[in-house]
C-alpha cells in the first residue's frame, strides 16, 4: 500500500489504518475488560465477499455500537471465533469498512471528526436537524456516496436513524437496497445502552453483558418486494418489529434476570 494511497472519498489509507489501530487499542477494554461482549455469528463475517455488503442493525449509542462492530469484524476476519481476544487483529484492519452517520453528529467535536475519518459516510437527515423536526428532500449526493462505499467495501447502517428502540425503519434504507442490491446482513445488539451514555463515550456501568448477534444475510425478491416488504423484513431481522413488544410473563422475566446475573462478572454501578 502506497504511503499516500487514498480511498474513493479522498481519505489517506495509511492515516486511516493508524487511526483504527490507535482508537481500537484505546477502546478494546470497553468490550473486553470493563464490560464483556458476547458475540454470535463471526463465521458469517468470514463468508462475505470483500465488497457490496450492507449491515443493518438496531442502534443504542452514537459511537459505541459501530466501534464494537469494527472490533468484531476485524477480529472475525483474523480468525477469531466469536471473541475479540488479543488485539493483534488491529494491526491489519479492513480499510474498506464504512458506516452511515448523520453529518450533524460527525461534526460535533474533535473525537467525532476523528471517527468520521476512520470510515463515516456522513449524510444529512431528512427528518431532524439541530434537535427539531424537519421535512426535506434526500440529497442525491448522499445516496451516491453510499453506493460508492458499497462498490468499495462494506457499509454499516442503523436504519431506524435513532438510538430510541422500536422506532420505524426509514424508507431510505429500503430504497438503497433496491437500487444497489447489496448482500444485507442483519445484526442485533444489546447491553450498550446500559453500558454507555447516549453518545457511547462515557462508561455508565461496568461489568454489563453486551451482546452482538450477526445473522444470515436476508433474501429479497427485487422483482416483487415493495419498499414496505423490505422494511418489514429488516424490522423483523433486527428485532425491532412491534410484535417483539409482547407481554412477558413474570416467571420468564425472573428467569431471564437470573440468567443475566450468571452471565455478568458482578453488577456494580460506577460512582
Amino acid at each position: 500500500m502506497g504511503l499516500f494511497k487514498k480511498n474513493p472519498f479522498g481519505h489517506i489509507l495509511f492515516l486511516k489504518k493508524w487511526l483504527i489501530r490507535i482508537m481500537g487499542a484505546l477502546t478494546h477494554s470497553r468490550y473486553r475488560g470493563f464490560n464483556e461482549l458476547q458475540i454470535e455469528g463471526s463465521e458469517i463475517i468470514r463468508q462475505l465477499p470483500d465488497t457490496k455488503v450492507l449491515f443493518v442493525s438496531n442502534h443504542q449509542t452514537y459511537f459505541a455500537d459501530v466501534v464494537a462492530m469494527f472490533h468484531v469484524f476485524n477480529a472475525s476476519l483474523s480468525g477469531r471465533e466469536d471473541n475479540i481476544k488479543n488485539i493483534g487483529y488491529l494491526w491489519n484492519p479492513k480499510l474498506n469498512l464504512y458506516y452511515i452517520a448523520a453529518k450533524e453528529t460527525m461534526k460535533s467535536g474533535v473525537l467525532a471528526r476523528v471517527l468520521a475519518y476512520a470510515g463515516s459516510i456522513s449524510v444529512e437527515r431528512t427528518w431532524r436537524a439541530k434537535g427539531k423536526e424537519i421535512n426535506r428532500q434526500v440529497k442525491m449526493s448522499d445516496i451516491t456516496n453510499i453506493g460508492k462505499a458499497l462498490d468499495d467495501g462494506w457499509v454499516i447502517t442503523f436504519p431506524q436513524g435513532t438510538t430510541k428502540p422500536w422506532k420505524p425503519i426509514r424508507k431510505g434504507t429500503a430504497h438503497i437496497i433496491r437500487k444497489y442490491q447489496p448482500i444485507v446482513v442483519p445484526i442485533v445488539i444489546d447491553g450498550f445502552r446500559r453500558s454507555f451514555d447516549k453518545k457511547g463515550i462515557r462508561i455508565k456501568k461496568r461489568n454489563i453483558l453486551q451482546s452482538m448477534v450477526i445473522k444470515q444475510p436476508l433474501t429479497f425478491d427485487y422483482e416483487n418486494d415493495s419498499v414496505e416488504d423490505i422494511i418489514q423484513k429488516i424490522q423483523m431481522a433486527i428485532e425491532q418489529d412491534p410484535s417483539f413488544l409482547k407481554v412477558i410473563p413474570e416467571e420468564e422475566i425472573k428467569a431471564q434476570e437470573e440468567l443475566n446475573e450468571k452471565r455478568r462478572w458482578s453488577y456494580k454501578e460506577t460512582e
Side-chain angles (χ1 to χ4, degrees):
M1 180 178 69
L3 190 61
F4 297 106
K5 185 178 179 180
K6 298 180 180 180
N7 66 15
F9 299 97
H11 297 152
I12 299 171
L13 294 180
F14 179 79
L15 178 56
K16 180 175 178 176
K17 177 182 283 189
W18 272 102
L19 284 175
I20 293 173
R21 287 172 176 172
I22 293 168
M23 294 303 294
L26 290 174
T27 58
H28 185 257
S29 61
R30 290 167 167 250
Y31 312 103
R32 185 172 169 78
F34 295 118
N35 295 298
E36 185 74 6
L37 178 60
Q38 179 177 291
I39 306 160
E40 293 181 30
S42 62
E43 71 282 355
I44 294 169
I45 297 296
R46 293 191 289 274
Q47 296 167 3
L48 297 171
D50 191 49
T51 63
K52 216 162 185 181
V53 177
L54 180 69
F55 296 91
V56 292
S57 175
N58 61 313
H59 201 18
Q60 296 196 339
T61 71
Y62 290 175
F63 300 120
D65 309 4
V66 75
V67 171
M69 290 178 192
F70 267 68
H71 277 287
V72 171
F73 293 178
N74 282 295
S76 299
L77 291 172
S78 296
R80 309 295 194 278
E81 193 65 42
D82 290 342
N83 71 75
I84 56 171
K85 296 176 182 177
N86 182 356
I87 60 172
Y89 59 79
L90 291 171
W91 188 249
N92 191 28
K94 184 176 177 63
L95 297 178
N96 57 342
L97 177 57
Y98 304 94
Y99 61 97
I100 300 172
K103 186 174 293 184
E104 183 180 337
T105 301
M106 302 317 294
K107 289 184 176 181
S108 60
V110 175
L111 178 60
R113 291 175 186 272
V114 169
L115 291 172
Y117 201 95
S120 166
I121 308 166
S122 298
V123 300
E124 287 190 0
R125 286 185 291 199
T126 59
W127 66 94
R128 192 171 180 83
K130 297 181 179 178
K132 297 181 180 179
E133 299 297 323
I134 61 169
N135 184 12
R136 62 185 170 199
Q137 292 291 322
V138 175
K139 289 184 67 175
M140 291 312 298
S141 59
D142 289 345
I143 301 296
T144 300
N145 283 338
I146 294 169
K148 189 187 299 185
L150 285 168
D151 285 339
D152 186 59
W154 295 357
V155 176
I156 300 165
T157 187
F158 302 99
Q160 292 166 288
T162 177
T163 57
K164 295 178 181 178
W166 316 115
K167 293 297 181 180
I169 303 295
R170 297 287 169 181
K171 289 185 178 181
T173 301
H175 286 297
I176 289 166
I177 291 170
R178 284 174 63 90
K179 181 177 178 64
Y180 297 109
Q181 298 185 14
I183 293 173
V184 180
V185 180
I187 294 177
V188 178
I189 61 170
D190 196 18
F192 293 83
R193 187 177 287 111
R194 295 188 295 276
S195 302
F196 302 102
D197 65 352
K198 186 175 182 178
K199 288 187 176 181
I201 296 174
R202 184 177 62 84
I203 296 174
K204 189 167 64 176
K205 292 185 177 73
R206 297 173 186 248
N207 303 324
I208 296 296
L209 175 69
Q210 303 159 339
S211 64
M212 183 182 299
V213 179
I214 303 156
K215 299 185 176 182
Q216 290 291 342
L218 296 174
T219 57
F220 301 105
D221 181 348
Y222 291 109
E223 295 295 324
N224 298 305
D225 280 355
S226 65
V227 166
E228 288 71 26
D229 292 332
I230 293 173
I231 286 173
Q232 179 64 20
K233 288 183 179 181
I234 293 173
Q235 204 159 254
M236 291 297 294
I238 65 173
E239 300 180 9
Q240 290 296 297
D241 189 84
S243 63
F244 286 90
L245 282 171
K246 62 182 181 180
V247 177
I248 303 174
E250 186 177 347
E251 298 79 14
E252 187 176 335
I253 294 175
K254 184 177 180 181
Q256 187 63 44
E257 288 177 348
E258 290 175 353
L259 178 60
N260 286 340
E261 287 301 323
K262 290 179 182 178
R263 285 173 172 171
R264 297 171 187 166
W265 298 342
S266 63
Y267 182 84
K268 182 176 74 172
E269 293 192 6
T270 53
E271 295 294 326

